[in-house]
Amino acid sequence: MKQAMRSNPKYVQGKPFAVKIGMFLLFLFAGSAAQAQVTYDRLLHADKEPQNWLTYSGGYASKRYSELKQINRENVKDLQLKWVHVFDTRNKIENTPLVVDGVLYTGDTNQISAVDALTGRTYWTLDHTVDPKGVFVLPMNKGLAISGDRLIWATLDGHLIAVDIKSGKPIWDKVIAIWHKGYQLNVAPLIVKDKVILGPATNEEGANCWVGAYDIKTGDELWRYTAIPGPGEPGNDTWPGDSWKRGGGSIWVTGSYDPETNLTFWGTGNPNPGWNGDPRAPGDNLYADSVLALDADTGKMKWHYQFTPADEFDWDSVEIPVLADINWEGKPRKVMLWANRNGFFYVLDRATGKFLLGKPFVKQNWNIGFTPEGRPIKDPTFKSSFEGTFIEPGVQGGTNWYSPSFSPRTGLFYIPSWQNSSQISAKAPAKWVEGERYTGVGHPAGAAPQQRPRHGGGGLATGGYGNAAAFRKDEEGYGAIIAVEPQTGEKKWEFKMNDYTESGVLTTASDVLFAGGREGNFFALDARNGEFLWKVGLGATVASGPMTFSLDGHQYVGVCAGNSLFIFGLPE
Amino acid sequence: MDMTYRSKCIVSLGSMFVLSFAVSAYAQSLPEGQGKAEFQRICGNCHSVSMATSQRMTQAQWTDVVNDMVSRGAQGSQQDLDNVTSYLATHFGQGAPPAASAMPAAAPAVAKESPLSDEEVTKALGLIKANGCLSCHRVGGTGSYVAPDLSDVGASYSAEQIRAALVSPNKDVAPQHRSIRLVTKDGKTVTGRILNQDGFSVQIIDSSSELRSFLKANLREFTIITTNPMPAYADKMSAEDMNGLVQYLSSLKGLGNP
């Protein structure tokens, strides 16, 4: 470097040479500090650089909480739209963008982009054509992962692609799941050390799913933990005959990581066929509807907890494991907080998997208690049927894949919830054919319209008949952001929406909570008491987890609604 | 009437497709004459041509309508627009045959498989008027918006379903037809039908057929009414009249179903 400068007379004119060198080195240092590579150490301490948003859930503990506090309870009402990024799709976008040192990375199933976080101007885009022969019922992508010089993108049709962060060019591209065997990739991958961790989902096609680790340098598979155990493996005896071969156990959302125990936690989806347990009875159908605690280096299972044994109502454990350090019975305890689709809020010890608490956060009619070990005791009258069974919550659950949040300041856990949701669910005979839906779902006989599924469309924030929520009374279902005290499972406050919500929740160190819903509103609440602070109508469903970042001392909040990403900030 | 009803409130691609299909289907039955092409091109660009062809007006009235449309964005040369006015006045003037016979496809349309005579239609319309149906419902462009528009009821429901809804209406109204009672903070009571709502506001069409929106923060009372105000007509008309009314309503297929 020195020699190069000496050879260039421009650099040795004017100021003394040593000063010039110093300035240049300073410039170089500043430049590299502004756009340093995302190391494992940075990911470990993501909370120490709240100006960035480095992982899908904002850090390994998946709290979706930020230390930023410039936007506060007083000035949040002044938020203004700064820019919009429109995705090349008509799908609703479920993406949470990443922001690293002024560059925002976002995308969907067919395209990802690097965008200037200040202006929204695009640096580059990379297209991926999803195999049009594949019929993907859930064409969604939750987001990207970043490590070193590369982004990791898991595509709907089973590609895992490493992309150069500067050029948008693929570095490697591996097919890790074969779509025509019933697989799809929806998750934002999780980077732990030198590994990319993620798994495929099956949209009720009976394909057995797994959590896998892939070499970040090459994409080669390093370990795999299959959610449905084969013969000779523990848990296989919870599947009669060869029913385990078509068990499902999807990975729909990103897991978490606890560096102290080196465990990575992943929720698994429902057993297949989802609505008819007959082909897989008797048995609990492990490890469907469970959380798996896996050693991040080897993929060995340390513990598991099954939220819904022998599920027949699609109650995937499709939630983000939130890792919190809280006071438990007078002592600090490292726990996992989990609001499940089955309507219960759980607290587990994250080192051992010990069940600490299970309490409903919505109306439910399936569970009459827990054994001391934490096994749910099902109401004996609660069974699937061909003619239809009244279930609370409905098939979409008390919550779903929407990111919750935990604020260490308020000590509260925030759940995007479907209150008073219910449904008549009926089963039907199920026959497995590779690559076809294996649901066993039936149609309730003679159900009055009011008893049919009420979850509505959830696309654009339209009125009229397409929006069933517009005509609903509270007792027929509504959406709410609720705040739950982890120690008791008690609801501390509730913020009601008319329609249900698919929005994640973000909390910040200024005790501002951001969330949205199917109504198309994005809003801010006081995280301490749920008091309404601000809203904006974005015209289409908010089905993504909000995030925040800062640039040059200005804090911004981002959220996707419909097919666009909206970035808000305070007036300059 | 407690029915699952295809609301026209939703602007979806699907309904736009149906509408444009309908426009081209109507076009085939438009009378030939100078100005037909301009009429189809200029007027059909924004709305179904049957919106015009179901009307009967004088030359002066059609001139006013065309001028009004120009003020709303209709585009064409002066000669084009004169041709449109002249075409409408010639074929859809006050002396022209009524819409139902001149334009079988226009609303309220008559099902091809069971054509009703003019006499039967007139009688049914008389029953609708005499029984007060139009104080809540709407048929073929007249009546209230408070209850479901019946102009295409025959496209969604069988004669048996329509008869059942007249003879013994369900106790509860279908969710999408629920009405609402609001009391504002300054004490005004408003009733109407819900069109939309979110956590912060509610959109209704009130009993005077006005589209209105209220912030929930400005309301003292917000009540969704699920009971069905539809009276039972079993004992209110003769069996013959009931048959005629059911037959007429079944024949209403609306604009989207020529």
Side-chain angles (χ1 to χ4, degrees):
Chain A
M1 186 62 69
K2 245 183 188 173
Q3 282 178 347
M5 289 187 64
R6 276 181 182 155
S7 68
N8 186 340
K10 272 196 289 186
Y11 288 96
V12 289
Q13 288 169 358
K15 288 178 181 155
F17 179 63
V19 173
K20 267 290 186 189
I21 282 286
M23 284 170 65
F24 186 70
L25 287 178
L26 194 67
F27 169 76
L28 265 190
F29 177 73
S32 61
Q35 291 199 336
Q37 293 199 346
V38 178
T39 59
Y40 172 59
D41 194 60
R42 286 183 74 183
L43 292 175
L44 269 179
H45 303 107
D47 56 331
K48 299 287 190 295
E49 44 178 300
Q51 72 275 20
N52 293 320
W53 192 267
L54 296 179
T55 75
Y56 174 72
S57 299
Y60 281 139
S62 302
K63 294 186 183 112
R64 205 167 278 266
Y65 166 85
S66 168
E67 290 292 344
L68 294 180
K69 49 189 174 190
Q70 185 182 62
I71 297 170
N72 58 38
R73 296 192 309 276
E74 284 71 42
N75 64 19
V76 67
K77 66 180 189 316
D78 301 325
L79 280 182
Q80 302 177 332
L81 181 63
K82 296 298 179 183
W83 53 265
V84 180
H85 176 82
V86 182
F87 295 85
D88 183 18
T89 178
R90 298 192 63 197
N91 292 332
K92 63 182 176 185
I93 295 294
E94 296 183 350
N95 177 275
T96 294
L98 303 178
V99 169
V100 184
D101 307 328
V103 184
L104 182 145
Y105 303 95
T106 188
D108 187 36
T109 60
N110 60 336
Q111 190 177 74
I112 59 171
S113 304
V115 174
D116 174 24
L118 183 68
T119 63
R121 303 293 298 173
T122 301
Y123 290 115
W124 55 255
T125 62
L126 172 65
D127 293 309
H128 173 80
T129 305
V130 171
D131 193 323
K133 293 193 294 296
V135 178
F136 299 100
V137 184
L138 295 168
M140 307 303 173
N141 181 277
K142 301 287 194 291
L144 301 163
I146 190 165
S147 174
D149 61 351
R150 58 199 63 187
L151 290 163
I152 307 293
W153 184 20
T155 72
L156 198 57
D157 55 349
H159 289 252
L160 190 63
I161 307 174
V163 181
D164 184 306
I165 54 171
K166 299 292 171 74
S167 68
K169 297 268 188 277
I171 299 168
W172 50 256
D173 179 344
K174 296 263 180 175
V175 174
I176 66 162
I178 313 283
W179 66 260
H180 59 77
K181 290 184 185 275
Y183 292 109
Q184 60 183 89
L185 298 178
N186 294 67
V187 296
L190 183 72
I191 308 286
V192 178
K193 302 172 193 172
D194 56 349
K195 298 179 181 67
V196 183
I197 303 178
L198 77 160
T202 184
N203 193 19
E204 316 298 337
E205 294 183 15
N208 284 354
C209 299
W210 65 87
V211 180
Y214 302 85
D215 188 331
I216 199 156
K217 291 193 188 69
T218 61
D220 293 341
E221 184 173 307
L222 299 173
W223 57 253
R224 173 188 291 215
Y225 188 89
T226 303
I228 310 298
E233 293 174 328
N236 180 259
D237 57 354
T238 64
W239 298 84
D242 62 359
S243 60
W244 64 273
K245 287 183 177 173
R246 302 173 279 280
S250 291
I251 307 301
W252 287 113
V253 296
T254 309
S256 305
Y257 173 64
D258 181 8
E260 275 186 50
T261 53
N262 197 37
L263 291 176
T264 183
F265 308 100
W266 294 77
T268 61
N270 63 297
N272 290 172
W275 284 260
N276 182 352
D278 298 346
R280 47 184 170 83
D284 285 351
N285 311 132
L286 290 170
Y287 297 98
D289 290 350
S290 301
V291 54
L292 307 176
L294 307 174
D295 184 283
D297 294 336
T298 64
K300 286 218 170 77
M301 187 165 77
K302 172 92 180 287
W303 58 261
H304 80 277
Y305 176 78
Q306 189 177 39
F307 298 97
T308 316
D311 170 27
E312 294 187 280
F313 303 104
D314 195 15
W315 287 336
D316 294 305
S317 293
V318 60
E319 293 84 23
I320 305 284
V322 176
L323 314 185
D325 298 345
I326 64 170
N327 243 319
W328 188 262
E329 293 172 349
K331 290 180 198 153
R333 190 149 191 171
K334 295 175 190 305
V335 300
M336 173 185 292
L337 307 177
W338 194 299
N340 196 277
R341 198 159 156 173
N342 70 18
F344 278 77
F345 165 71
Y346 296 83
V347 183
L348 305 176
D349 182 303
R350 71 173 181 262
T352 62
K354 184 179 161 57
F355 171 87
L356 300 177
L357 182 113
K359 187 150 186 176
F361 62 94
V362 296
K363 275 171 79 178
Q364 65 86 27
N365 70 342
W366 67 276
N367 174 311
I368 54 172
F370 290 90
T371 67
E373 295 74 38
R375 182 184 170 81
I377 303 165
K378 281 192 186 176
D379 183 328
T381 64
F382 186 82
K383 288 193 170 89
S384 73
S385 63
F386 289 98
E387 62 277 11
T389 299
F390 180 72
I391 62 166
E392 285 181 311
V395 160
Q396 291 301 312
T399 187
N400 205 301
W401 61 269
Y402 337 123
S403 293
S405 179
F406 174 77
S407 163
R409 282 178 52 88
T410 63
L412 297 174
F413 184 63
Y414 303 97
I415 309 168
S417 69
W418 290 30
Q419 298 290 327
N420 294 344
S421 86
S422 64
Q423 184 171 335
I424 306 284
S425 176
K427 66 180 173 183
K431 186 173 181 294
W432 181 79
V433 176
E434 183 176 280
E436 290 185 13
R437 305 245 302 159
Y438 179 52
T439 61
V441 69
H443 299 286
Q450 291 89 332
Q451 293 172 311
R452 292 195 188 119
R454 289 195 293 253
H455 34 83
L460 297 173
T462 52
Y465 186 35
N467 177 9
F471 317 107
R472 269 200 299 254
K473 301 172 84 170
D474 283 354
E475 56 267 36
E476 297 165 329
Y478 62 93
I481 304 301
I482 61 170
V484 166
E485 184 179 67
Q487 289 81 358
T488 59
E490 295 291 338
K491 194 192 286 185
K492 301 307 276 186
W493 57 256
E494 170 182 281
F495 178 80
K496 281 168 74 167
M497 290 166 264
N498 177 61
D499 202 350
Y500 294 129
T501 178
E502 297 171 272
S503 169
V505 179
L506 167 73
T507 53
T508 71
S510 52
D511 294 335
V512 178
L513 178 152
F514 291 96
R518 284 186 167 182
E519 298 169 355
N521 292 317
F522 179 55
F523 51 81
L525 309 176
D526 186 327
R528 304 169 306 171
N529 53 25
E531 189 186 314
F532 170 75
L533 301 174
W534 170 81
K535 80 167 166 77
V536 61
L538 298 179
T541 188
V542 176
S544 68
M547 48 76 76
T548 186
F549 61 96
S550 75
L551 266 179
D552 303 328
H554 299 285
Q555 185 185 354
Y556 300 90
V557 178
V559 70
C560 293
N563 69 346
S564 303
L565 164 67
F566 298 83
I567 301 293
F568 297 91
L570 294 169
E572 296 292 319
Chain B
M1 295 165 96
D2 180 16
M3 293 177 163
T4 315
Y5 196 81
R6 293 184 321 124
S7 167
K8 289 177 183 171
C9 300
I10 317 160
V11 179
S12 68
L13 268 194
S15 62
M16 287 168 78
F17 171 77
V18 168
L19 193 64
S20 57
F21 173 76
V23 169
S24 60
Y26 291 148
Q28 290 165 5
S29 53
L30 284 175
E32 294 303 324
Q34 196 194 12
K36 179 184 172 186
E38 294 89 333
F39 168 59
Q40 286 178 271
R41 172 166 55 81
I42 296 168
C43 308
N45 192 36
C46 294
H47 58 77
S48 160
V49 291
S50 69
M51 273 184 77
T53 60
S54 59
Q55 313 284 323
R56 297 293 175 269
M57 291 189 229
T58 63
Q59 168 97 30
Q61 287 169 323
W62 278 124
T63 306
D64 286 346
V65 167
V66 170
N67 287 339
D68 181 38
M69 291 298 136
V70 170
S71 74
R72 296 180 192 212
Q75 291 192 356
S77 68
Q78 191 54 53
Q79 184 61 56
D80 288 345
L81 295 168
D82 288 346
N83 289 348
V84 169
T85 308
S86 147
Y87 177 77
L88 288 168
T90 305
H91 300 284
F92 305 96
Q94 280 199 324
S101 54
M103 289 283 300
V110 175
K112 282 170 192 139
E113 59 272 22
S114 59
L116 271 69
S117 68
D118 289 353
E119 200 177 304
E120 288 167 323
V121 170
T122 307
K123 190 173 176 198
L125 289 173
L127 285 167
I128 285 171
K129 203 171 169 190
N131 284 285
C133 305
L134 299 179
S135 60
C136 296
H137 293 282
R138 199 163 172 82
V139 180
T142 51
S144 165
Y145 290 90
V146 170
D149 188 328
L150 301 178
S151 303
D152 59 358
V153 67
S156 304
Y157 296 95
S158 67
E160 292 70 37
Q161 289 171 314
I162 292 170
R163 183 185 299 277
L166 284 163
V167 171
S168 52
N170 283 348
K171 202 170 120 301
D172 289 331
V173 75
Q176 65 272 24
H177 303 315
R178 287 174 174 176
S179 52
I180 193 161
R181 184 174 180 278
L182 308 173
V183 181
T184 60
K185 274 195 171 156
D186 52 6
K188 292 196 182 89
T189 300
V190 184
T191 58
R193 188 153 62 94
I194 315 171
L195 300 180
N196 201 0
Q197 66 164 310
D198 70 359
F200 302 95
S201 66
V202 58
Q203 291 71 40
I204 71 168
I205 187 155
D206 72 10
S207 48
S208 315
S209 297
E210 294 293 329
L211 293 170
R212 299 179 72 178
S213 183
F214 296 87
L215 293 177
K216 288 183 175 177
N218 295 338
L219 297 174
R220 187 196 295 168
E221 192 187 315
F222 176 96
T223 312
I224 293 177
I225 299 157
T226 58
T227 50
N228 189 354
M230 172 86 181
Y233 283 88
D235 304 323
K236 294 190 178 171
M237 64 180 82
S238 70
E240 191 197 336
D241 284 353
M242 179 64 79
N243 288 342
L245 184 57
V246 169
Q247 199 188 359
Y248 171 72
L249 290 172
S250 308
S251 76
L252 301 180
K253 307 292 189 187
L255 295 178
N257 296 274

